[in-house]
Amino acid sequence: MNKTPNILVTGAAGFIGSHTMVELQQAGYQVIGIDNFENSSSRVADQITAITGIATHIEKIDIRDKKSLNEFVNTHKDIAAVIHFAAYKAVGESVQFPMKYYENNIGGTVNLLEAMAANQINNIVFSSSCTVYGEANPPVDETAPVQQATSPYGNTKQICEELLKDQSQATGLNVISLRYFNPVGAHDSALIGELPIGVPNNLVPFITQTAIGKRKQLTVFGTDYPTADGTCIRDYIHVVDLAKAHLKALEYQLAGKNKQSFDVFNLGTGKGSSVLEVVAAFEKVSQQKLNMVFGPRRTGDVVQVYAACNKANTALGWKTERTLENCMQTAWAWEQALAAKENK
Ligand code: NAD
Ligand code: WQD
């Protein structure tokens, strides 16, 4: 297969989608991006253009709008594969508004699969999450059982994997489900990064927003966990490493290398870091002390989770290249770039 097939990216303006758009363009793919910009900015397309030098357009489409989605896919008949990021992702909000999550994450995916089937598009790479493993014994590999979800958000990822599996059995659709661990960091250009709306739930944007003065202090959730320093352990993966894995998964799929029509891969670094190690890495690269207090455990947090990534390393020929310090350095540069723009 030549190297310029059209790839449809849903959620293209989002955190992981935008970094993947860059990697796809730089690898020579024709990329068609769609997003409803509910959790992102339409200006992201210009930022991608500034990085790659390739004119980028992201079409405003809501994947819940079946008619618009079908019309759009129908007018781009030469799509070889879809990378599907579009979803809501806030765990806490999903507990409060479960139907909103089921409608968007599951309803949107169903619409997308129908549009793909109607247009004979036979390849999809899906954004799943390590949350499907719940509390598992790390390093967690893909054979670890999927556990009862602890939030509607987590449940949408499990259900989507199930419906993708069913569709692959019914139609021969090739599915790669990528289970991300904790994506962090930003592009080296500081032109794209994570744009949390309101108060961030996630650790790294909370750290950078505290350091820039948007938040008073970081609260470390729990210091009495059975870990070396008492704080939780996660596998923080740089978003550029993650974006590159999508390229590898796509190439694997388009080359017909997949051994089964539905397959899953863990994407992490294979290394766990505690909350305090993340803070220390931030303090080192930013050369400042973070305003931090110790608080009680956050409900629902697992003690420790990190990935075994041998499957992605071997089958996809992918491995991470960035360090935790690089994650923190690029996240910090991005936060500073955002602040500079706001102060203009
Ligand atoms: P994000 O919110 O930055 O990106 C998602 C994008 O999808 C946003 O630009 C949003 O506007 C768009 N979107 C949402 N609903 C849509 C709809 N109905 N129609 C069109 N566009 C829509 O999130 P992200 O961090 O880039 O996550 C991307 C995917 O990866 C999501 O599926 C998420 O669940 C999954 N994931 C994220 C993480 C993480 O920690 N960031 C971890 C595991 C899995
Ligand atoms: C990391 C660590 C917190 C904030 C979530 C989702 C998961 C996936 C990734 C989408 C934990 C601690 C955090 C703070 C803190 N997303 N923390 N103070 O919970 O591992 O995973 O994002 O699929 O599904 O659940 O990530 O960044 O929220 O937390 O001490 O203000 O930082 O307790 O130990 P988490 P996180």
Side-chain angles (χ1 to χ4, degrees):
M1 164 165 280
N2 75 31
K3 239 201 153 189
T4 55
N6 282 345
I7 310 301
L8 173 65
V9 177
T10 76
F15 175 41
I16 308 167
S18 58
H19 289 81
T20 304
M21 291 281 283
V22 167
E23 295 302 323
L24 290 169
Q25 287 189 348
Q26 287 177 338
Y29 288 96
Q30 300 285 336
V31 192
I32 305 160
I34 61 174
D35 203 299
N36 67 356
F37 305 115
E38 205 177 328
N39 201 32
S40 53
S41 160
S42 57
R43 289 188 297 275
V44 168
D46 296 336
Q47 307 293 80
I48 295 171
T49 302
I51 296 170
T52 63
I54 296 166
T56 308
H57 170 73
I58 298 176
E59 185 82 6
K60 185 168 184 190
I61 302 266
D62 191 316
I63 60 167
R64 285 167 295 193
D65 179 351
K66 204 170 176 165
K67 191 164 170 281
S68 307
L69 180 66
N70 280 337
E71 276 169 13
F72 184 82
V73 175
N74 205 259
T75 54
H76 292 86
K77 282 223 170 290
D78 46 355
I79 295 168
V82 177
I83 306 185
H84 178 33
F85 295 103
Y88 293 141
K89 63 166 179 178
V91 175
E93 187 191 52
S94 79
V95 176
Q96 235 185 322
F97 305 109
M99 292 312 120
K100 178 177 166 180
Y101 274 68
Y102 288 120
E103 187 197 20
N104 197 30
N105 296 8
I106 297 174
T109 301
V110 169
N111 288 346
L112 181 66
L113 290 180
E114 284 180 348
M116 288 175 67
N119 290 280
Q120 292 83 45
I121 305 169
N122 287 325
N123 297 296
I124 184 167
V125 176
F126 174 69
S127 297
S128 188
S129 169
C130 70
T131 190
V132 303
Y133 296 120
E135 185 92 64
N137 243 350
V140 182
D141 70 20
E142 294 82 353
T143 64
V146 168
Q147 307 249 24
Q148 172 79 43
T150 55
S151 73
Y153 167 74
N155 207 20
T156 67
K157 291 296 167 192
Q158 297 190 4
I159 294 170
C160 279
E161 284 198 354
E162 289 300 323
L163 62 88
L164 285 160
K165 203 182 291 170
D166 290 345
Q167 184 74 342
S168 81
Q169 266 167 20
T171 68
L173 176 72
N174 292 308
V175 180
I176 292 183
S177 184
L178 299 176
R179 293 174 177 167
Y180 315 153
F181 281 63
N182 288 55
V184 294
H187 196 262
D188 293 320
S189 62
L191 288 170
I192 53 173
E194 194 170 1
L195 269 179
I197 291 176
V199 182
N201 298 305
N202 295 120
L203 177 63
V204 173
F206 207 104
I207 289 175
T208 56
Q209 288 198 6
T210 303
I212 209 86
K214 276 191 189 163
R215 311 280 152 218
K216 195 167 144 260
Q217 62 198 13
L218 171 78
T219 302
V220 175
F221 297 142
T223 52
D224 59 349
Y225 284 101
T227 60
D229 65 19
T231 65
C232 289
I233 289 175
R234 298 286 181 273
D235 188 340
Y236 297 92
I237 174 169
H238 196 289
V239 66
V240 172
D241 277 334
L242 190 61
K244 287 183 171 159
H246 289 75
L247 194 67
K248 292 286 191 184
L250 186 74
E251 278 166 357
Y252 181 81
Q253 205 171 50
L254 293 179
K257 288 187 186 162
N258 52 313
K259 298 196 176 49
Q260 56 227 59
S261 56
F262 176 91
D263 210 352
V264 298
F265 292 94
N266 284 348
L267 298 179
T269 65
K271 186 177 173 292
S273 305
S274 73
V275 176
L276 293 184
E277 282 168 341
V278 174
V279 172
F282 175 78
E283 289 181 335
K284 185 170 172 207
V285 300
S286 68
Q287 297 189 303
Q288 62 172 285
K289 233 30 253 126
L290 190 75
N291 203 1
M292 174 173 77
V293 293
F294 297 115
R297 292 182 176 196
R298 180 173 71 178
T299 312
D301 272 341
V302 296
V303 180
Q304 60 169 336
V305 61
Y306 51 92
C309 302
N310 316 41
K311 190 175 169 190
N313 297 160
T314 310
L316 304 181
W318 166 87
K319 65 177 178 27
T320 53
E321 290 166 358
R322 310 287 186 122
T323 60
L324 180 61
E325 283 179 9
N326 183 259
C327 290
M328 301 314 285
Q329 184 257 314
T330 52
W332 180 225
W334 165 244
E335 190 71 62
Q336 289 173 299
L338 280 179
K341 222 183 280 169
E342 280 163 19
N343 294 333
K344 253 191 194 166

